[in-house]
Amino acid sequence: MNEVVKQMVEKGEMLPLMEEFYTIQGEGFHKGTAAYFVRIGGCDVGCHWCDVKESWNANLHPPTETTKIVAAAKSYSNTIVVTGGEPLTWDMTALTTQLKAEGLQTHIETSGAYKLTGIWDWICLSPKKMKLPTKEVYDHAHELKMIIYNKDDFRFAEEQAAKVNDDCILYLQPEWSKRDKVVPEIVDYVMKHPKWKVSLQTHKYLNIP
């Protein structure tokens, strides 16, 4: 990476773009909504059950000018979901400023482990035990999406729910490979603790990206 490109990446004017695609949001509050996904490479949180581990190494994904990302995104949808990897590894200011200038809705899916940058209409916070969110992300999250892999994750979910703002919507979502085992446990838990809602990866049931 030459020095000019490196500086642009540091400023968020270029981002390591892994993939971009138009699909249906499958999870959480906006499930069923047509959205354009921008997947940014780079993540050191290290979830063992991550289903996009190829996103972890940012060096595998070409630095792409945010102007090009925005130009592609606006031709598909009014709702743009920035995901990863961990998008807050990078400065999201330039990307989201341009998206908002085009009148687009900006959504982010993040572990919250890094400084909150960017202008967001919707923040989906999915905390991980290995690297906890910053207070700022807890304070601004619109939805809390807790992935349930084992019974200890219910404890962790309650611990995280105590830290988010009062308006944050609370979701429990089964880890896909464990869904047959944990879905009944989640259903039972939500019925006993109705502040929570169930989130499913409906895009996987629909067999779409």
Side-chain angles (χ1 to χ4, degrees):
M1 186 186 301
N2 67 45
E3 194 59 35
V4 173
V5 171
K6 185 177 180 181
Q7 289 179 7
M8 291 183 73
V9 170
E10 288 175 355
K11 293 177 182 177
E13 295 170 358
M14 297 182 81
L15 294 167
L17 179 64
M18 178 181 166
E19 61 179 344
E20 45 192 342
F21 52 94
Y22 185 44
T23 188
I24 303 294
Q25 169 62 275
E27 304 174 6
F29 184 80
H30 290 98
K31 66 181 178 295
T33 302
Y36 190 75
F37 279 70
V38 175
R39 188 181 300 283
I40 305 298
C43 183
D44 66 356
V45 177
C47 306
H48 64 91
W49 42 254
C50 175
D51 55 5
V52 214
K53 288 180 180 173
E54 59 271 28
S55 70
W56 290 4
N57 186 351
N59 295 326
L60 298 179
H61 309 295
T64 304
E65 293 176 15
T66 53
T67 52
K68 293 181 179 178
I69 297 173
V70 172
K74 72 178 184 180
S75 66
Y76 283 92
S77 180
N78 291 328
T79 301
I80 314 302
V81 181
V82 181
T83 185
E86 174 44 68
L88 292 182
T89 302
W90 316 99
D91 189 339
M92 290 286 116
T93 305
L95 176 63
T96 55
T97 298
Q98 293 171 65
L99 290 170
K100 294 307 297 177
E102 296 289 345
L104 304 176
Q105 292 287 301
T106 55
H107 297 193
I108 187 172
E109 299 183 351
T110 178
S111 68
Y114 293 99
K115 179 182 178 183
L116 181 61
T117 56
I119 308 163
W120 303 106
D121 295 297
W122 193 264
I123 297 172
C124 173
L125 173 61
S126 186
K128 306 300 185 289
K129 295 174 185 175
M130 299 76 81
K131 191 169 284 194
L132 295 174
T134 67
K135 184 179 184 305
E136 187 179 21
V137 183
Y138 284 127
D139 291 345
H140 289 88
H142 297 90
E143 69 178 286
L144 177 71
K145 183 174 69 183
M146 301 303 303
I147 308 303
I148 304 300
Y149 182 83
N150 56 38
K151 288 190 182 298
D152 185 64
D153 291 329
F154 290 105
R155 175 201 60 78
F156 182 58
E158 291 292 353
E159 182 182 279
Q160 296 303 295
K163 296 182 179 181
V164 295
N165 63 83
D166 291 342
D167 295 325
C168 188
I169 304 168
L170 307 179
Y171 288 102
L172 299 176
Q173 178 171 298
E175 196 279 325
W176 182 252
S177 71
K178 297 287 186 180
R179 63 191 183 280
D180 291 342
K181 179 179 186 299
V182 301
V183 163
E185 295 173 358
I186 290 174
V187 169
D188 184 57
Y189 194 89
V190 170
M191 291 177 72
K192 291 177 179 175
H193 306 86
K195 68 179 181 181
W196 292 96
K197 300 177 185 293
V198 178
S199 173
L200 297 173
Q201 291 179 293
T202 58
H203 57 292
K204 293 190 176 181
Y205 291 99
L206 295 172
N207 196 30
I208 57 176

